[in-house]
Amino acid sequence: MANEITVFRPLLAGLDLTDTVVTFDALHSQTAHARFLVEDKKAHYIAVIKRNQPLLHRQLKQTPWRNVPLLDKTRATAHGRDEIRRAKTATVARGLDFPHATQAVQIVRRRRTITTDRVTLQRVYAATDLAAHQADAPEIAHHVREHWGIGNKIHHVRDTTFTEDASRMRTGTAPRAMATLRNLAIGALRLTGYDNIAAGLRKHSRDATRPLTTLDIT
């Protein structure tokens, strides 16, 4: 995890991020990252805040959300779940304990597992430097959904289809190399029209020449 944090700035240093909205999860919700984006790159951020930032998480959680009107509601079905998301945003007059933050965000996710009818409720908090006139609740919620979409399309598949989290390969750069190969396989299959990566892998495993054809290697 430390490696991910330290490469954040070098990875983005060469990019023109002026007026770009950068989203990141709780691991990268670091004050140095926020300052770098706003002050050096002239970008904006939406930072998901969890309990690894206990004071800020408590501050966001204690915002009087009951008094804030519901400003966005969406519904989607994927991965065997029916999910309803409700988003609220609030301008924080006294400021948040995070660089340049001007709005607090609450997203409530109600998930129902279709096969079992089990319902779970999750409250997600975030902070952003975007003022209310720059981005309203639907726009901020859209950015967060796009961010989660990356996790669903990449990390979820790598974990469930390739059982990446169970891998015992931890020596040197081997984990990074294997992650790259998994991403290559996922990307190649998606580019050739496979939405179900597991089905694509099964089909390719039946014919030794098919992976070469998919990768345009002859």
Side-chain angles (χ1 to χ4, degrees):
M1 289 193 297
N3 288 338
E4 285 191 34
I5 293 173
T6 57
V7 300
F8 182 93
R9 183 164 181 159
L11 185 66
L12 300 180
L15 301 179
D16 180 6
L17 297 178
T18 304
D19 294 327
T20 300
V21 178
V22 179
T23 61
F24 40 86
D25 57 22
L27 174 64
H28 289 290
S29 294
Q30 309 287 326
T31 57
H33 291 353
R35 290 195 180 96
F36 166 69
L37 288 171
V38 175
E39 297 170 13
D40 295 357
K41 305 300 292 183
K42 311 305 178 187
H44 300 287
Y45 69 81
I46 300 174
V48 174
I49 306 298
K50 294 185 179 179
R51 287 183 174 82
N52 61 326
Q53 295 269 8
L55 296 179
L56 180 57
H57 184 268
R58 189 180 307 118
Q59 188 179 11
L60 290 167
K61 187 176 180 180
Q62 291 176 350
T63 299
W65 293 110
R66 290 180 180 273
N67 301 327
V68 178
L70 178 65
L71 300 173
D72 184 65
K73 180 180 177 180
T74 59
R75 186 170 190 167
T77 301
H79 304 296
R81 295 191 301 255
D82 179 47
E83 182 171 289
I84 298 173
R85 307 181 190 95
R86 297 177 174 87
K88 295 181 177 183
T89 56
T91 299
V92 183
R94 297 182 181 179
L96 291 169
D97 189 22
F98 202 70
H100 303 287
T102 59
Q103 284 197 92
V105 182
Q106 182 200 62
I107 298 176
V108 179
R109 305 167 75 182
R110 182 186 182 276
R111 289 176 171 175
R112 181 179 65 85
T113 303
I114 296 173
T115 55
T116 64
D117 216 31
R118 179 174 178 266
V119 175
T120 59
L121 201 67
Q122 180 187 27
R123 287 178 173 82
V124 179
Y125 299 99
T128 178
D129 73 303
L130 290 161
H133 70 275
Q134 294 174 304
D136 56 13
E139 186 173 354
I140 290 174
H142 172 74
H143 283 300
V144 175
R145 286 196 303 273
E146 291 290 299
H147 177 87
W148 285 336
I150 296 172
N152 290 335
K153 289 181 180 179
I154 300 295
H155 301 296
H156 177 79
V157 173
R158 278 167 42 179
D159 182 27
T160 58
T161 303
F162 292 95
T163 61
E164 184 175 68
D165 286 353
S167 173
R168 301 178 65 84
M169 190 173 293
R170 301 184 179 90
T171 304
T173 60
R176 185 182 303 175
M178 290 304 300
T180 301
L181 291 173
R182 293 181 189 112
N183 286 343
L184 172 63
I186 294 168
L189 289 171
R190 291 199 189 282
L191 287 173
T192 50
Y194 288 94
D195 292 325
N196 188 318
I197 301 302
L201 290 173
R202 287 194 297 270
K203 183 174 181 179
H204 280 67
S205 68
R206 300 187 190 109
D207 184 344
T209 65
R210 187 169 284 134
L212 297 177
T213 303
T214 298
L215 295 172
D216 198 22
I217 298 174
T218 57

Short mmCIF file of all heavy atoms in Angstrom, two decimals, residues 15 28 33 41 61 79 86 97 113 139-140 146 158 207 209:
data_model
loop_
_atom_site.label_atom_id
_atom_site.label_comp_id
_atom_site.label_asym_id
_atom_site.label_seq_id
_atom_site.Cartn_x
_atom_site.Cartn_y
_atom_site.Cartn_z
N LEU A 15 1.20 14.90 -16.53
CA LEU A 15 -0.09 15.08 -17.20
C LEU A 15 -0.63 16.49 -17.01
O LEU A 15 -0.44 17.11 -15.96
CB LEU A 15 -1.10 14.08 -16.63
CG LEU A 15 -0.75 12.59 -16.74
CD1 LEU A 15 -1.85 11.75 -16.11
CD2 LEU A 15 -0.54 12.18 -18.20
N HIS A 28 -5.77 6.70 -1.02
CA HIS A 28 -5.08 7.87 -1.57
C HIS A 28 -5.65 9.19 -1.08
O HIS A 28 -5.25 10.25 -1.57
CB HIS A 28 -5.13 7.82 -3.10
CG HIS A 28 -4.26 6.74 -3.67
ND1 HIS A 28 -2.89 6.81 -3.64
CD2 HIS A 28 -4.57 5.57 -4.27
CE1 HIS A 28 -2.38 5.73 -4.22
NE2 HIS A 28 -3.38 4.95 -4.59
N HIS A 33 -1.72 14.66 -1.38
CA HIS A 33 -2.27 14.43 -2.71
C HIS A 33 -3.24 15.54 -3.09
O HIS A 33 -3.25 16.03 -4.23
CB HIS A 33 -3.00 13.09 -2.76
CG HIS A 33 -2.11 11.88 -2.65
ND1 HIS A 33 -0.73 11.98 -2.66
CD2 HIS A 33 -2.40 10.56 -2.52
CE1 HIS A 33 -0.21 10.77 -2.56
NE2 HIS A 33 -1.20 9.89 -2.48
N LYS A 41 -1.25 21.11 -9.89
CA LYS A 41 -1.82 20.66 -11.17
C LYS A 41 -3.07 21.44 -11.58
O LYS A 41 -3.59 21.23 -12.68
CB LYS A 41 -2.15 19.16 -11.11
CG LYS A 41 -0.98 18.27 -10.72
CD LYS A 41 0.19 18.40 -11.68
CE LYS A 41 -0.15 17.84 -13.05
NZ LYS A 41 1.02 17.90 -13.97
N LYS A 61 -19.37 12.37 8.95
CA LYS A 61 -20.50 11.58 9.44
C LYS A 61 -21.43 12.41 10.32
O LYS A 61 -22.66 12.21 10.31
CB LYS A 61 -19.96 10.38 10.24
CG LYS A 61 -21.03 9.38 10.67
CD LYS A 61 -20.40 8.19 11.37
CE LYS A 61 -21.46 7.19 11.81
NZ LYS A 61 -20.84 6.01 12.48
N HIS A 79 -23.90 -7.63 -11.32
CA HIS A 79 -23.24 -8.61 -10.45
C HIS A 79 -24.22 -9.27 -9.49
O HIS A 79 -23.89 -9.54 -8.33
CB HIS A 79 -22.10 -7.95 -9.66
CG HIS A 79 -21.09 -7.25 -10.52
ND1 HIS A 79 -20.30 -7.92 -11.42
CD2 HIS A 79 -20.75 -5.93 -10.62
CE1 HIS A 79 -19.51 -7.06 -12.04
NE2 HIS A 79 -19.77 -5.85 -11.59
N ARG A 86 -28.34 6.98 -3.24
CA ARG A 86 -28.88 8.30 -2.93
C ARG A 86 -27.72 9.22 -2.54
O ARG A 86 -26.91 8.85 -1.68
CB ARG A 86 -29.90 8.23 -1.80
CG ARG A 86 -31.14 7.39 -2.13
CD ARG A 86 -32.06 7.29 -0.92
NE ARG A 86 -33.32 6.62 -1.22
CZ ARG A 86 -33.50 5.31 -1.17
NH1 ARG A 86 -32.49 4.52 -0.80
NH2 ARG A 86 -34.67 4.78 -1.47
N ASP A 97 -11.53 19.40 7.57
CA ASP A 97 -10.13 19.19 7.92
C ASP A 97 -9.42 18.45 6.79
O ASP A 97 -8.90 17.35 6.98
CB ASP A 97 -10.05 18.41 9.24
CG ASP A 97 -8.63 18.33 9.77
OD1 ASP A 97 -7.81 19.19 9.39
OD2 ASP A 97 -8.33 17.41 10.55
N THR A 113 -29.26 -8.44 -2.78
CA THR A 113 -28.79 -9.59 -3.53
C THR A 113 -29.99 -10.30 -4.11
O THR A 113 -30.88 -10.75 -3.37
CB THR A 113 -27.97 -10.54 -2.64
OG1 THR A 113 -26.89 -9.82 -2.06
CG2 THR A 113 -27.42 -11.70 -3.44
N GLU A 139 -23.79 15.45 -10.43
CA GLU A 139 -22.52 15.38 -11.13
C GLU A 139 -21.45 14.70 -10.27
O GLU A 139 -20.67 13.88 -10.76
CB GLU A 139 -22.05 16.79 -11.52
CG GLU A 139 -20.79 16.79 -12.37
CD GLU A 139 -20.43 18.17 -12.89
OE1 GLU A 139 -21.23 19.11 -12.69
OE2 GLU A 139 -19.36 18.29 -13.51
N ILE A 140 -21.42 15.05 -8.99
CA ILE A 140 -20.45 14.42 -8.09
C ILE A 140 -20.74 12.92 -7.98
O ILE A 140 -19.83 12.09 -8.01
CB ILE A 140 -20.49 15.10 -6.71
CG1 ILE A 140 -19.89 16.52 -6.82
CG2 ILE A 140 -19.70 14.29 -5.68
CD1 ILE A 140 -20.02 17.33 -5.57
N GLU A 146 -18.47 6.45 -11.71
CA GLU A 146 -17.45 6.13 -12.70
C GLU A 146 -16.21 5.55 -12.03
O GLU A 146 -15.58 4.62 -12.54
CB GLU A 146 -17.08 7.39 -13.49
CG GLU A 146 -18.17 7.89 -14.41
CD GLU A 146 -18.40 6.97 -15.59
OE1 GLU A 146 -17.45 6.77 -16.38
OE2 GLU A 146 -19.53 6.45 -15.72
N ARG A 158 -10.42 -9.21 -11.46
CA ARG A 158 -9.13 -9.81 -11.09
C ARG A 158 -9.24 -10.64 -9.81
O ARG A 158 -8.57 -11.66 -9.66
CB ARG A 158 -8.08 -8.70 -10.92
CG ARG A 158 -7.49 -8.25 -12.24
CD ARG A 158 -6.69 -6.99 -12.17
NE ARG A 158 -5.81 -6.88 -11.02
CZ ARG A 158 -5.01 -5.81 -10.81
NH1 ARG A 158 -4.99 -4.81 -11.68
NH2 ARG A 158 -4.24 -5.76 -9.75
N ASP A 207 -9.06 -23.79 -27.13
CA ASP A 207 -8.34 -23.76 -28.40
C ASP A 207 -7.03 -23.02 -28.19
O ASP A 207 -7.02 -21.82 -27.91
CB ASP A 207 -9.19 -23.05 -29.46
CG ASP A 207 -8.53 -23.07 -30.84
OD1 ASP A 207 -7.32 -23.36 -30.92
OD2 ASP A 207 -9.22 -22.78 -31.83
N THR A 209 -4.84 -21.94 -30.12
CA THR A 209 -4.51 -20.87 -31.07
C THR A 209 -5.37 -19.62 -30.87
O THR A 209 -5.02 -18.54 -31.37
CB THR A 209 -4.68 -21.36 -32.52
OG1 THR A 209 -6.06 -21.66 -32.77
CG2 THR A 209 -3.83 -22.60 -32.75
#
